[in-house]
Amino acid sequence: MAKGKTFAKPEALSDAVTHYCPGCTHGVIHRLIAEVIDELGIRGKTVGIAPVGCAVLAYNYFTFDFQEAAHGRAPAMATGIKRVRPDLVVFTYQGDGDLASIGMGEIIHAANRGEKFTTIFVNNAVYGMTGGQMAPTTMPNQRTTTSPFGRDVNDVGMPIRMAELLSSLATPAYVTRQTVLKPKTINKAKKAIKRAFEYQLAGRCFSFVEVVSTCPTNWGMTPVEAIQWAEQTMLPYYPLGDFKTPEADGQAAKDSV
Amino acid sequence: MAKVLMKGNEAIGEAAIRAGCLNYFAYPITPQSEVAEYLSRRMPEVGGVFLQGESEVAVSYMIFGAAACGARVFTTSSSPGISLMSEAISYIAAAQCPAVFVNIMRGGPGLGGILPSQADYFQSVKGGGHGDYRLLVMAPASVQEAVEMVMQAFPLSEKYRNPVMILGDGLIGQMMEPVEFPDHLRTEPTNKDDWATNGMAFRKSDKRNLVKSLFLDPDQLNSNNLTLKAKYEQMKQEEIRFETYNTDSDYRVLLVSYGTMSRVCRTAIDQLKEEGVEVGMVRPQTLFPFPEEAVRTAAGKAGCRAVASIEMSMGQMVEDVERSVRGSLPVHWYGKCGGDVPTPEEIIDFTRSLL
Ligand SMILES: Cc1ncc(C[n+]2csc(CCOP(=O)(O)OP(=O)(O)O)c2C)c(N)n1
Ligand code: SF4
């Protein structure tokens, strides 16, 4: 394929038309994963794990082996696979309700054990699939169907910053936060996803890519408004960048002895 | 192979290895933590996988993930832990993956107690998790039988692509008995390339595999459930196992009992025989599928006046015994479930009260 000239569909992506709403960023993230899998030539040894959330049917859009998890349990399933088949490339694809609420225990312990799989964490500040209820990542004062007067942080606390939380663990890992709101950030997000898979392929560490995303449907916005809201409201609270790299962790470990 | 003296829990761990299962995930809970302790040493020796998960919930999904990519895998736990695993067990059954779960039961409900119990009969045999699924449930009455059942459980779970549960009471796990491991140790794993997510390149296929339990289309869900049902019907045809005791005699009472409880019943039956009272017993070795026909036939023998289910629970298997006997005789229950096993004397007194 001539680089940068043709816009072909990645082999790792199927022909199926997605069920995602117009303007939803799930589709963009799927494509980035598929491009990375093609570029690394790992389609034949990859197993994806679908969450319970809007991406539950993600397996319809990819062309490699897939497992469908129960709500929040994808990191435990990925652990099971990687422990018995370290030669497979495994990633979980999870929303914020799935990962930061019901599945909080599984993701923290998988990260802390340094399981050699990759997690793509889609943070859209809301429970998409069940109709826009409050998530642990919902912004202060953000209205959702279960916080109709806006998220009251005195009542339910502040939104959880997963990348920061996981980067506080002492086990070496790659933890980064990216977004797909603009072409430039999409390119960066793709680089981060590729790097995450490369760490896994090298058997190096757990890798985690949080992607600040939009849910125009449940935010009650047009796709363009949703992008603007994410930039103005989410990005100041969810700053982009690498929070943890195994290189820096290795240095820190050396410094401490 | 010569007999060795082994604690039930350790023998269960060793039996899994001898059956070619080199993958174990678990979370500690009394009275079966010795399985994890034993395998934390033993798995590295045989190049296997041992991992202590962060909870039974996580462990059960580690089992699911590993099973779904075609690995032989098992876990052990006890009652409260099995409650937490029941969600995953439902998913594994729905997604048709083979896996082995061992429940060394303790008393319940709630935190209950740590002494032996058989109070998870309903949980294992009738459901536990949500939805229309069944487990193949095997109930050992000795350490030797636990070893044999664990070893049979793996090929059975693969034959049916369904979870198999070994349901033992705390005594099975805790007591030491001489055991002999069968000589032909490893069974060949079945071909899993048709369905397992073991990587397209590894199975040299262009067709990807998908392990899932979501069927939004009602016809597809119904059809998946019919596929499951057909397997459960096949189990009823091919897997029922039971033992009878003193059923050649002209017994007047038929006892139905399983696991450790059935051993106490044997002692009671022997003693009653000496006193001139004949009592027979059917001991189910599979609880699902339940040996309905065997119980019905034994209850129908001329001279048999009453049937009793003897259990370390408040009366659970008794419902299956009633179902089997179909109202032709009165069905009674005797049991205890605080943790102490009913004594032969108590069973003798109870049995005499039925004469
Ligand atoms: C055990 C369990 N509890 C609740 C649900 C219902 N449920 C389905 S998806 C979902 C939330 C998904 O939200 P998120 O993870 O943020 O993903 P999104 O849909 O936004 O992509 C919930 C609560 C479930 N399927 N299983
Ligand atoms: S509900 Fe939200 S997250 Fe789900 S598909 Fe629609 S826009 Fe995307």
Side-chain angles (χ1 to χ4, degrees):
Chain A
M1 192 169 86
K3 230 181 162 184
K5 295 255 168 71
T6 49
F7 188 75
K9 183 181 67 61
E11 214 190 337
L13 219 50
S14 78
D15 288 328
V17 177
T18 77
H19 69 287
Y20 299 117
C21 308
C24 175
T25 41
H26 272 306
V28 179
I29 303 165
H30 284 20
R31 179 167 177 115
L32 297 185
I33 294 169
E35 286 179 0
V36 165
I37 284 173
D38 274 15
E39 285 168 23
L40 295 172
I42 52 175
R43 196 171 69 96
K45 57 176 183 173
T46 296
V47 181
I49 306 184
V52 175
C54 277
V56 63
L57 298 174
Y59 44 74
N60 286 341
Y61 314 129
F62 292 106
T63 57
F64 44 84
D65 284 1
F66 241 91
Q67 299 184 5
E68 176 197 82
H71 200 20
R73 315 297 176 214
M77 293 182 70
T79 298
I81 305 173
K82 281 301 275 198
R83 290 282 170 152
V84 305
R85 285 291 308 275
D87 50 344
L88 291 171
V89 177
V90 178
F91 73 92
T92 71
Y93 185 102
Q94 302 178 259
D96 40 20
D98 194 78
L99 181 138
S101 190
I102 195 167
M104 181 62 107
E106 281 75 11
I107 190 64
I108 289 192
H109 285 279
N112 194 57
R113 287 189 301 261
E115 299 293 345
K116 311 291 182 292
F117 67 83
T118 300
T119 290
I120 310 296
F121 170 48
V122 180
N123 177 358
N124 60 11
V126 80
Y127 281 27
M129 190 196 210
T130 38
Q133 295 84 8
M134 187 177 67
T137 47
T138 294
M139 296 305 294
N141 301 318
Q142 183 185 340
R143 287 170 194 267
T144 71
T145 52
T146 51
S147 59
F149 311 109
R151 178 182 183 131
D152 177 356
V153 297
N154 293 317
D155 187 37
V156 295
M158 291 293 285
I160 298 178
R161 290 191 266 232
M162 283 308 302
E164 285 84 337
L165 196 153
L166 292 179
S167 65
S168 74
L169 300 171
T171 309
Y174 175 54
V175 178
T176 186
R177 183 181 290 118
Q178 303 290 329
T179 188
V180 288
L181 298 174
K182 288 272 162 66
K184 210 172 152 190
T185 56
I186 292 178
N187 286 335
K188 275 192 163 175
K190 179 176 166 185
K191 284 203 183 92
I193 292 171
K194 191 164 184 178
R195 191 170 160 191
F197 276 94
E198 282 167 347
Y199 282 126
Q200 176 178 175
L201 283 165
R204 188 91 186 258
C205 62
F206 171 71
S207 49
F208 182 88
V209 183
E210 174 170 343
V211 186
V212 174
S213 305
T214 64
C215 177
T217 302
N218 286 305
W219 294 358
M221 297 178 192
T222 66
V224 174
E225 284 167 357
I227 286 174
Q228 285 164 352
W229 187 84
E231 281 181 322
Q232 285 159 13
T233 316
M234 290 180 75
L235 290 187
Y237 188 80
Y238 295 116
L240 305 180
D242 292 345
F243 289 84
K244 195 172 169 66
T245 63
E247 292 81 6
D249 288 332
Q251 196 51 49
K254 269 190 209 139
D255 292 348
S256 69
V257 284
Chain B
M1 206 188 129
K3 284 201 173 182
V4 285
L5 192 63
M6 258 181 129
K7 194 171 189 171
N9 283 331
E10 299 192 341
I12 285 168
E14 186 61 31
I17 290 179
R18 305 283 177 125
C21 174
L22 298 185
N23 305 299
Y24 175 76
F25 300 84
Y27 188 81
I29 183 169
T30 309
Q32 63 73 53
S33 299
E34 295 87 352
V35 188
E37 289 167 358
Y38 180 79
L39 289 176
S40 67
R41 277 182 285 115
R42 204 53 188 112
M43 280 302 187
E45 278 173 15
V46 294
V49 171
F50 168 87
L51 183 65
Q52 179 173 325
E54 67 270 31
S55 69
E56 285 89 350
V57 174
V59 162
S60 56
Y61 284 99
M62 291 172 189
I63 299 287
F64 187 12
C69 66
R72 238 176 213 187
V73 63
F74 92 117
T75 187
T76 60
S77 188
S78 181
S79 314
I82 298 290
S83 291
L84 284 184
M85 291 181 177
S86 294
E87 180 196 46
I89 291 174
S90 159
Y91 278 74
I92 296 170
Q96 302 195 61
C97 293
V100 174
F101 290 80
V102 179
N103 180 2
I104 300 298
M105 290 178 279
R106 55 188 257 176
L111 209 44
I114 57 170
L115 294 172
S117 163
Q118 294 180 321
D120 300 344
Y121 182 93
F122 282 153
Q123 184 194 47
S124 327
V125 173
K126 306 290 179 189
H130 58 284
D132 266 322
Y133 76 93
R134 297 287 193 159
L135 301 176
L136 203 163
V137 185
M138 304 169 96
S142 66
V143 175
Q144 180 65 42
E145 195 173 40
V147 162
E148 285 160 17
M149 284 179 172
V150 166
M151 294 184 70
Q152 291 154 1
F154 292 99
L156 280 172
S157 73
E158 284 155 15
K159 174 178 173 186
Y160 290 100
R161 282 174 56 194
N162 197 71
V164 173
M165 176 157 290
I166 307 292
L167 192 67
D169 50 80
L171 272 166
I172 298 293
Q174 291 299 321
M175 71 187 162
M176 287 187 89
E177 282 190 317
V179 284
E180 193 172 4
F181 291 93
D183 271 338
H184 293 289
L185 302 178
R186 283 164 193 256
T187 46
E188 274 309 304
T190 49
N191 176 25
K192 296 172 177 174
D193 285 352
D194 298 344
W195 59 268
T197 56
N198 51 2
M200 295 188 296
F202 295 98
R203 62 178 180 271
K204 298 187 174 55
S205 165
D206 296 334
K207 191 189 130 290
R208 68 90 174 259
N209 284 339
L210 180 59
V211 173
K212 63 159 191 166
S213 63
L214 178 72
F215 300 93
L216 289 171
D217 177 78
D219 289 336
Q220 281 182 19
L221 179 56
N222 193 49
S223 135
N224 194 59
N225 281 328
L226 285 172
T227 306
L228 302 188
K229 187 171 164 54
K231 297 197 295 188
Y232 307 143
E233 294 305 323
Q234 190 187 344
M235 287 178 196
K236 288 182 192 170
Q237 296 303 314
E238 296 175 22
E239 312 304 341
I240 290 177
R241 294 178 204 184
F242 62 91
E243 233 181 39
T244 53
Y245 192 65
N246 201 39
T247 44
D248 292 338
S249 70
D250 292 321
Y251 53 89
R252 293 161 69 195
V253 176
L254 178 73
L255 303 184
V256 184
S257 189
Y258 68 100
T260 298
M261 196 63 255
S262 68
R263 293 171 69 163
V264 185
C265 289
R266 267 175 184 255
T267 310
I269 290 170
D270 291 348
Q271 221 160 304
L272 281 163
K273 199 183 189 73
E274 278 173 25
E275 295 164 19
V277 180
E278 297 291 359
V279 174
M281 178 168 71
V282 175
R283 172 174 80 91
Q285 291 166 299
T286 52
L287 301 178
F288 184 89
F290 190 76
E292 261 176 71
E293 187 68 39
V295 170
R296 182 161 47 250
T297 312
K301 187 162 175 178
C304 181
R305 287 203 244 150
V307 180
S309 180
I310 314 290
E311 310 171 50
M312 288 189 266
S313 77
M314 281 292 137
Q316 300 191 13
M317 183 175 69
V318 65
E319 293 189 9
D320 278 337
V321 176
E322 276 170 349
R323 199 167 52 82
S324 306
V325 171
R326 292 185 187 164
S328 63
L329 279 181
V331 175
H332 305 267
W333 159 85
Y334 181 77
K336 268 188 179 175
C337 67
D340 39 310
V341 184
T343 61
E345 291 68 35
E346 286 169 321
I347 293 166
I348 289 168
D349 286 349
F350 171 75
T351 308
R352 280 191 174 283
S353 77
L354 302 177
L355 292 170

